[in-house]
Amino acid sequence: MTTASPATASTPRHAAYPHLLQPLDLGFCTLPNRVLMGSMHTGLEDKAADFPKLAAYFAERAAGGVGLIVTGGFSPNIVGWLKPFGGTLRWPWEVRKHRQVTRAVHDNGSRICLQILHSGRYGYHPLQVAPSRLKAPINPFTPRALSARGIERQVAAFVRTAQLARDGGYDGVEVMGSEGYLLNQFTAPRTNKRDDAWGGDATRRMRFAVEIVRRIREACGPDFIIVYRLSMLDLVDNGLAWDEVVQQAQAIEAAGATLINTGIGWHEARVPTISTSVPRAAFTGITARLKPHVGLPLVTTNRINMPDVAEAILARGDADMVSMARPLLADPEWVNKAREQRADDINTCIACNQACLDHVFQNRRASCLVNPRACAETELDYRPTATPRRIAVVGAGPAGLACATVAGERGHHVTLFDAHAEIGGQFNLAKRIPGKEEFHETLRYFGRRIDQTGVQLRLGTTADAAALSSFDAVVLATGIKPRGVDIPGAAHAKVVSYVDVLSGRVVPGRRVAIIGAGGIGFDVAEFLVQEGESPSLNAKAWRAEWGVDLAYGENRGGLVAPRPEPPAREVWLLQRSPGKPGRRLGKTTGWIHRATLKSRQVKMLGGVEYLGVDDGGLAIRVEGVEQVLPVDHVVVCAGQEPYRPLADALPATDVHVIGGAEVAAELDAKRAIAQGSRLAAEL
Ligand code: FAD
Ligand code: NAP
Ligand code: SF4
């Protein structure tokens, strides 16, 4: 078995990304490149009826050139369920449905491993088990502590699932040993309080994981890929110490693993690990630290989304492969585009979690904000049209961009109008928020798509009824107008809109109140407290801000006291409804926004009554107590109303209204892009 080595004279070199596109010899098989599609639950794993959709989803990624795919997690038994009736592989008759997946992947030239995931105390059901009877802070259920016989039964279940995976045509398995799931619960003193053969010192805590790998190797033979996902940075108190991480990796290698994949952070950790504000490749340094200690290839992960980022990691020798899950949801052709030196054509994952992880946590099928076809490959078809038409799309925000480019791809003659000098609509404001720099990528991608699909772009052009009269169909994607506030002093010079602030027309003073604590209010607060370089563009500064210590200098788990930058302004973030602001933010990201503002000393108040604005500031009443916030500016982020003045001016036939122009309430780019794409697929 060989580990990372750049191309030699006998192997082909790829000009742009020689390390990324270098084959990897695993001894008994050779992967064509260094891209592993990381495990990600899609919601299609749980019912047999969904397997044709799952097969189509993986088939597109296999055809897109990925070297090795790992499925979402399947439990080895019902006590290891993630949720009641979650996907398992534990009986011979379940093998048949998996063959649809493995055949689809092999027919398209790739390889696939099944991830075996035992949730332990993270299982959202009362049957859950764990090394010790300790409830997870993110789960209402308390686990039952496993007996020694119970532990043997879990090991046997892992082995049986691996054998069934082999029968089902999988090239191997990934054993999930990180993110705070059962194996990680055994390895860490935080959750393993046993003093028998399965707990106590590090060797006994890791015995469960090592035994599973050893016995899978024994049962499945030498030519079966075993990926072990090892938690290299727990990011929780009383997690593993660094010497224990090294010891575990060496024991897992000796037990017969083929690859070690990197796991970062338990689900209960209070440090973001994959959200858009996490700098690209912020954690790969930890894989690099492990590299000299093991001989088998290492896979690194988290916030790697573009080929230049992946190439730099591999060229530095930090790892032998990169794992990406969401970037391949966003663009199944990612690897082929890199190979063809078309990185600018990649539909980049912006790490928003809005359509993938947030959906999974809501028990909905995953998809992707920038690619609504993800997990809907059999349903959303951009087939060429038999009857090309002349279509006008008014508004080049996310809804209009998606609609125009899909219609253009299908062969329609599309003209796209925007009143502004650049495409993007509100994304041009969003991309200025610290931590949302990735939004630039979506605009770059749509710019390329406009060129490639032959869409005629008319920027700086406010479309009117006369300009639209000659088209066969008109799509109004004219977006929104910000809602004003109806309070005394609303016309005072201190009162400005979020558009004024984010566009740079107004530079607020040192003390600012924000009216409205929705997604935009939170973003504006983050914009106001940050001065200078965004921590999301500087991994070292970001790690200091969140207390991540790759050197494990002080504590187990890689944690150190956070050192947030002082706020650039004194900010109040206000809402009328009672309770804590931010409760309606995204499931997997809302806590990050709240924690960021808290660390920057933003005062977040609910149950606020706005009494008025004058030269002295903003007068408010909270729980019957009046006070004046002595602010220089009041930024209004009070939601939005649809903007569609053209709707009534056009003849009724074949006019479609989409995005914020149709419904502004609870609008986001996920809805805008999906609606635009779906409409264009039907036009
Ligand atoms: P818009 O983006 O509003 O685009 C409408 C376009 O129509 C504009 O470019 C306008 O110039 C043009 N137009 C209007 N009338 C005419 C005319 N007559 N002729 C020509 N052109 C016209 N969403 C998320 O999902 N996730 C986020 O993290 C997120 N963050 C955000 C952060 C901020 C600061 C802001 C402001 C928004 C954010 N959003 C986010 C919301 C997201 O940007 C919107 O939901 C999305 O832009 C709506 O798309 P749209 O195409 O409907 O409208
Ligand atoms: P929003 O989420 O609807 O929030 C509007 C805020 O204004 C609320 O806090 C509301 O709370 C307050 N408000 C409403 N009417 C008001 C009035 N008349 N006077 C005073 N306050 C009023 O809207 P938004 O923040 O403008 O965001 C727009 C859309 O963009 C959202 O749907 C959101 O999904 C999307 N977005 C998403 C993200 C993201 O990270 N996913 C980020 C930004 C934006 P009270 O009524 O309690 O005061
Ligand atoms: Fe990436 Fe957002 Fe798509 Fe998820 S929804 S894959 S985070 S772009």
XYZ file of all heavy atoms in Angstrom, residues 352 354 426 436 439 483-487 498 515-523 574-578 584-586 589 593 608 610 636-640 664-669, ligand 2:
369
model
N -24.135 26.618 3.502
C -25.250 27.267 4.219
C -26.039 26.278 5.070
O -26.744 26.678 5.998
C -26.187 27.919 3.204
S -26.975 26.721 2.097
N -28.732 24.985 4.483
C -30.171 25.258 4.482
C -31.017 24.150 3.863
O -32.129 23.904 4.327
C -30.446 26.584 3.765
C -30.026 27.791 4.559
C -30.198 29.084 3.788
O -29.241 29.809 3.592
N -31.386 29.386 3.334
N -30.359 40.508 -4.126
C -29.968 40.655 -2.712
C -28.706 39.874 -2.334
O -28.124 40.120 -1.275
C -31.101 40.184 -1.812
C -32.336 41.044 -1.871
C -33.414 40.419 -1.036
O -33.309 40.378 0.186
N -34.443 39.896 -1.684
N -20.113 35.300 5.075
C -20.908 34.883 3.909
C -20.143 35.148 2.614
O -20.742 35.350 1.556
C -22.262 35.597 3.904
C -23.192 35.076 4.981
C -24.639 35.409 4.770
C -25.482 34.642 5.785
N -26.884 35.018 5.778
N -20.856 33.470 -0.830
C -21.948 33.839 -1.725
C -21.416 34.420 -3.044
O -22.103 34.399 -4.058
C -22.908 34.818 -1.043
C -23.821 34.163 -0.021
C -23.316 33.321 0.958
C -25.187 34.399 -0.039
C -24.145 32.720 1.895
C -26.027 33.799 0.883
C -25.507 32.961 1.855
N -39.453 46.425 4.153
C -40.593 46.993 4.897
C -40.074 48.125 5.784
O -39.042 47.973 6.443
C -41.225 45.897 5.748
C -42.501 46.328 6.457
C -43.010 45.206 7.360
N -43.566 44.093 6.625
C -43.313 42.819 6.887
N -42.499 42.475 7.868
N -43.870 41.860 6.186
N -40.792 49.228 5.786
C -40.437 50.330 6.689
C -41.091 50.123 8.043
O -41.806 49.136 8.261
N -40.850 51.045 8.980
C -41.514 50.927 10.281
C -42.411 52.143 10.496
O -42.101 53.243 10.039
C -40.512 50.826 11.459
C -39.940 49.435 11.547
C -39.418 51.868 11.364
N -43.486 51.883 11.197
C -44.471 52.935 11.439
C -44.366 53.340 12.912
O -45.161 52.917 13.742
C -45.855 52.360 11.101
C -46.919 53.425 11.215
O -46.567 54.623 11.234
O -48.111 53.048 11.311
N -43.303 54.109 13.222
C -43.139 54.561 14.617
C -42.845 56.060 14.586
O -42.359 56.569 13.561
C -41.991 53.808 15.338
C -40.650 53.997 14.601
C -42.309 52.342 15.487
C -39.455 53.388 15.328
N -31.464 48.553 5.992
C -30.307 47.648 5.876
C -29.653 47.766 4.509
O -28.450 47.550 4.350
C -30.712 46.197 6.173
C -31.640 45.552 5.164
C -31.140 44.925 4.034
C -33.021 45.573 5.341
C -31.983 44.336 3.109
C -33.866 44.986 4.427
C -33.352 44.375 3.301
O -34.190 43.798 2.380
N -33.678 47.382 14.335
C -35.090 47.014 14.531
C -35.373 45.799 13.660
O -35.302 45.858 12.437
C -36.020 48.186 14.159
C -35.881 49.307 15.190
C -37.459 47.710 14.043
C -36.874 50.452 15.012
N -35.663 44.666 14.311
C -35.945 43.441 13.563
C -34.794 42.468 13.691
O -33.670 42.771 13.304
N -35.103 41.288 14.264
C -34.043 40.304 14.528
C -34.295 39.015 13.744
O -34.174 37.916 14.268
C -33.953 40.033 16.026
N -34.634 39.183 12.463
C -34.708 38.009 11.573
C -33.326 37.728 11.011
O -32.311 38.228 11.522
N -33.277 36.948 9.939
C -31.984 36.589 9.333
C -31.190 37.831 8.969
O -29.973 37.899 9.201
N -31.863 38.843 8.419
C -31.134 40.034 7.979
C -30.687 40.871 9.181
O -29.561 41.385 9.199
C -31.989 40.839 6.975
C -32.121 40.008 5.683
C -31.364 42.206 6.695
C -32.947 40.625 4.590
N -31.516 40.995 10.220
C -31.111 41.721 11.426
C -29.842 41.115 12.025
O -28.903 41.830 12.395
N -29.800 39.788 12.116
C -28.605 39.130 12.646
C -27.389 39.402 11.762
O -26.299 39.688 12.247
C -28.840 37.611 12.779
C -29.328 37.226 14.148
C -30.660 37.365 14.491
C -28.455 36.754 15.112
C -31.115 37.037 15.758
C -28.892 36.420 16.387
C -30.227 36.568 16.715
N -27.613 39.301 10.438
C -26.484 39.540 9.517
C -25.968 40.966 9.650
O -24.751 41.205 9.648
C -26.923 39.294 8.073
C -26.839 37.822 7.700
O -26.384 37.026 8.537
O -27.218 37.483 6.563
N -33.019 44.164 18.251
C -34.321 44.213 18.926
C -35.421 43.514 18.127
O -35.410 43.535 16.897
C -34.726 45.683 19.116
C -33.646 46.614 19.684
C -34.094 48.072 19.583
C -33.335 46.247 21.137
N -36.369 42.941 18.856
C -37.588 42.438 18.198
C -38.777 42.649 19.115
O -38.628 42.742 20.338
C -37.455 40.958 17.833
C -37.446 40.026 19.029
C -37.363 38.549 18.653
O -36.862 38.203 17.599
N -37.846 37.695 19.533
N -39.968 42.733 18.487
C -41.182 42.975 19.278
C -41.650 41.709 19.977
O -42.150 41.750 21.095
C -42.295 43.493 18.365
C -41.972 44.826 17.722
C -42.991 45.192 16.680
N -43.125 44.147 15.661
C -43.931 44.203 14.626
N -44.707 45.262 14.441
N -43.999 43.229 13.752
N -41.530 40.568 19.294
C -42.063 39.351 19.910
C -41.253 38.965 21.147
O -40.055 39.257 21.225
C -42.097 38.199 18.909
O -41.187 38.415 17.902
N -41.942 38.321 22.098
C -41.231 37.959 23.332
C -40.220 36.845 23.078
O -40.235 36.207 22.030
C -42.362 37.458 24.248
C -43.474 37.102 23.343
C -43.340 37.906 22.088
N -35.914 31.604 15.271
C -36.380 31.088 13.977
C -35.256 30.947 12.953
O -35.502 30.660 11.786
C -37.492 31.987 13.420
C -38.851 31.718 14.077
C -39.869 32.716 13.640
N -39.449 34.060 14.014
C -40.009 35.175 13.570
N -40.995 35.126 12.717
N -39.576 36.354 13.969
N -34.042 31.171 13.376
C -32.924 31.004 12.434
C -32.729 29.512 12.122
O -33.330 28.660 12.770
C -31.639 31.587 13.027
C -31.654 33.098 13.291
C -30.348 33.538 13.937
C -31.897 33.898 12.017
N -31.868 29.224 11.161
C -31.674 27.838 10.711
C -31.349 26.886 11.852
O -30.652 27.243 12.811
N -27.574 26.299 12.166
C -26.689 27.469 12.147
C -27.125 28.601 13.076
O -26.319 29.486 13.382
C -26.579 28.042 10.719
O -27.910 28.190 10.204
C -25.782 27.133 9.811
N -24.938 31.964 14.969
C -25.173 33.409 14.886
C -25.389 34.001 16.283
O -24.852 35.055 16.616
C -26.397 33.708 14.011
C -26.188 33.335 12.572
N -25.253 33.942 11.787
C -26.787 32.410 11.795
C -25.271 33.401 10.578
N -26.193 32.474 10.557
N -39.835 43.995 22.750
C -39.543 45.434 22.733
C -40.706 46.200 22.094
O -41.225 45.799 21.050
C -38.249 45.704 21.924
C -37.974 47.205 21.816
C -37.067 44.982 22.553
N -41.423 49.837 20.429
C -40.678 50.994 19.906
C -41.510 52.249 20.155
O -42.618 52.372 19.635
C -40.395 50.826 18.415
C -39.688 49.529 18.087
C -40.302 48.539 17.318
C -38.403 49.278 18.568
C -39.664 47.346 17.035
C -37.756 48.074 18.287
C -38.392 47.121 17.525
O -37.751 45.926 17.263
N -33.229 49.629 10.075
C -34.495 48.906 10.005
C -34.308 47.622 9.198
O -33.927 47.646 8.027
C -35.590 49.791 9.368
C -36.910 49.012 9.268
C -35.785 51.059 10.196
N -34.567 46.502 9.860
C -34.498 45.173 9.224
C -35.820 44.468 9.550
O -35.844 43.396 10.161
C -33.343 44.355 9.775
S -31.737 45.143 9.644
N -36.922 45.115 9.176
C -38.244 44.683 9.641
C -38.964 43.821 8.614
O -40.189 43.852 8.496
C -39.079 45.912 9.993
N -38.223 43.035 7.859
C -38.852 42.149 6.882
C -39.059 42.844 5.545
O -38.582 43.961 5.320
N -39.787 42.159 4.688
C -39.860 42.604 3.296
C -41.260 42.401 2.725
O -42.024 41.587 3.235
C -38.845 41.792 2.479
C -37.467 41.830 3.104
C -36.481 40.881 2.471
O -36.862 39.819 1.979
N -35.217 41.261 2.468
N -43.048 37.275 -0.209
C -41.821 37.736 0.469
C -41.655 37.079 1.834
O -40.537 36.914 2.311
C -41.835 39.250 0.615
N -42.779 36.692 2.451
C -42.676 36.119 3.802
C -41.868 34.823 3.761
O -42.106 33.962 2.917
C -44.070 35.841 4.354
N -40.932 34.709 4.666
C -40.087 33.523 4.805
C -39.363 33.151 3.516
O -39.030 31.995 3.273
C -40.901 32.345 5.333
C -41.407 32.675 6.715
C -42.080 31.518 7.411
O -42.010 30.396 6.904
O -42.656 31.767 8.473
N -39.131 34.180 2.684
C -38.373 33.947 1.448
C -36.914 33.706 1.775
O -36.336 34.380 2.619
C -38.486 35.198 0.567
C -37.548 35.254 -0.642
C -37.992 34.269 -1.713
C -37.485 36.666 -1.202
N -36.315 32.759 1.112
C -34.859 32.654 1.145
C -34.385 32.201 -0.229
O -35.199 31.912 -1.110
C -34.356 31.752 2.270
C -34.857 30.321 2.159
O -35.439 29.972 1.112
O -34.666 29.562 3.125
N -33.081 32.163 -0.393
C -32.544 31.821 -1.715
C -32.854 30.380 -2.083
O -32.931 30.048 -3.265
C -31.044 32.070 -1.720
P -37.728 38.162 8.836
O -36.930 36.958 9.102
O -39.160 38.016 8.534
O -37.538 39.130 10.077
C -38.137 40.378 10.161
C -37.972 40.940 11.562
O -38.596 42.198 11.626
C -38.573 40.091 12.637
O -37.647 40.075 13.721
C -39.854 40.796 13.026
O -39.982 40.495 14.376
C -39.558 42.246 12.677
N -40.691 43.002 12.142
C -41.600 42.589 11.215
N -42.475 43.588 10.941
C -42.115 44.650 11.687
C -42.636 45.954 11.846
N -43.686 46.360 11.154
N -42.041 46.788 12.715
C -40.958 46.381 13.420
N -40.432 45.142 13.318
C -40.999 44.281 12.460
O -37.121 38.947 7.605
P -35.637 39.398 7.247
O -34.745 39.414 8.425
O -35.833 40.642 6.462
O -35.166 38.278 6.274
C -35.797 38.119 5.008
C -35.643 36.715 4.523
O -34.271 36.499 4.170
C -36.005 35.752 5.605
O -37.144 35.024 5.233
C -34.819 34.859 5.760
O -35.168 33.502 5.624
C -33.880 35.246 4.630
N -32.536 35.297 5.211
C -31.981 34.137 5.591
C -30.759 34.144 6.187
C -30.095 32.868 6.598
O -29.025 32.892 7.193
N -30.652 31.723 6.317
C -30.105 35.327 6.435
C -30.705 36.510 6.042
C -31.943 36.464 5.451
P -41.017 41.144 15.393
O -42.297 41.168 14.633
O -40.990 40.256 16.562
O -40.478 42.486 15.717
